[in-house]
């Protein structure tokens, strides 16, 4: 496994397309931060970090669906910066996802945050993914 973030996004995307309620993902510190952002922004119902005796454990994510039409709160998950081609954005070139309706997750020197938080703190960084 070379790109763990792509694996994370693919597992969530596959769970949504199969209408699963819970998805289990191997944990890392970066994946934990992305999960926290998804929860804060209302894209997932809940999450739980489980520690194992081996490595860093797992992340259990409860996916969020609309009760009337059974559509997921997450419409798209797109990986932007890949291991073969990293994408960086400064404060002035920060991407807007769906004209501000979606979020871009940015890895900055001050931690992992959304595009709006990075603009407030006046920092740029690596654009990890777009979520809408």
């Amino acid at each position: 496994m070379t790109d763990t973030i792509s694996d994370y996004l693919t597992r969530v995307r596959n769970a949504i397309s199969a209408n699963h309620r819970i998805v289990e993902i191997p944990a890392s510190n970066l994946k934990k931060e992305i999960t926290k952002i998804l929860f804060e922004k209302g894209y997932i119902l809940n999450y739980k970090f489980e520690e194992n005796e081996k490595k860093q454990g797992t992340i259990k994510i409860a996916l969020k669906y609309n009760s009337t039409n059974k559509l997921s709160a997450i419409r798209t998950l797109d990986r932007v910066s890949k291991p073969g081609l990293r994408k960086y954005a400064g404060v002035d070139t920060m991407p807007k996802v769906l004209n501000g309706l979606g979020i871009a997750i940015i890895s900055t020197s001050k931690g992992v945050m959304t595009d709006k938080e990075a603009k407030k703190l006046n920092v740029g960084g690596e654009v990890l993914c777009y979520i809408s």
Side-chain angles (χ1 to χ4, degrees):
M1 182 69 50
T2 56
D3 190 8
T4 58
I5 300 167
S6 284
D7 178 57
Y8 173 92
L9 297 174
T10 301
R11 284 176 190 246
V12 172
R13 202 179 301 119
N14 289 345
I16 289 169
S17 65
N19 289 324
H20 289 285
R21 293 281 174 211
I22 296 172
V23 60
E24 197 169 315
I25 300 165
S28 74
N29 290 336
L30 184 59
K31 292 180 198 175
K32 288 178 182 179
E33 293 301 315
I34 292 172
T35 305
K36 288 176 187 173
I37 290 172
L38 289 177
F39 178 70
E40 289 168 8
K41 298 301 175 187
Y43 286 104
I44 59 175
L45 273 178
N46 211 343
Y47 63 92
K48 185 173 158 184
F49 301 139
E50 292 184 348
E51 300 298 325
N52 301 28
E53 60 278 351
K54 58 174 189 165
K55 299 184 185 171
Q56 287 194 330
T58 60
I59 304 170
K60 285 191 176 182
I61 299 173
L63 299 171
K64 188 176 190 177
Y65 293 97
N66 188 335
S67 59
T68 55
N69 58 8
K70 306 289 188 247
L71 290 176
S72 172
I74 300 173
R75 303 267 186 236
T76 59
L77 289 165
D78 295 325
R79 178 80 159 113
V80 179
S81 184
K82 298 179 172 94
L85 181 62
R86 301 287 184 191
K87 300 279 185 178
Y88 296 94
V91 179
D92 52 341
T93 60
M94 200 60 68
K96 270 192 162 183
V97 182
L98 283 178
N99 269 341
L101 295 176
I103 62 170
I105 296 181
I106 315 289
S107 176
T108 68
S109 59
K110 297 185 178 178
V112 180
M113 59 187 73
T114 65
D115 50 341
K116 294 172 186 77
E117 292 166 353
K119 271 192 173 179
K120 279 183 196 169
L121 293 175
N122 200 28
V123 292
E126 183 181 354
V127 183
L128 298 177
C129 59
Y130 295 151
I131 298 169
S132 59

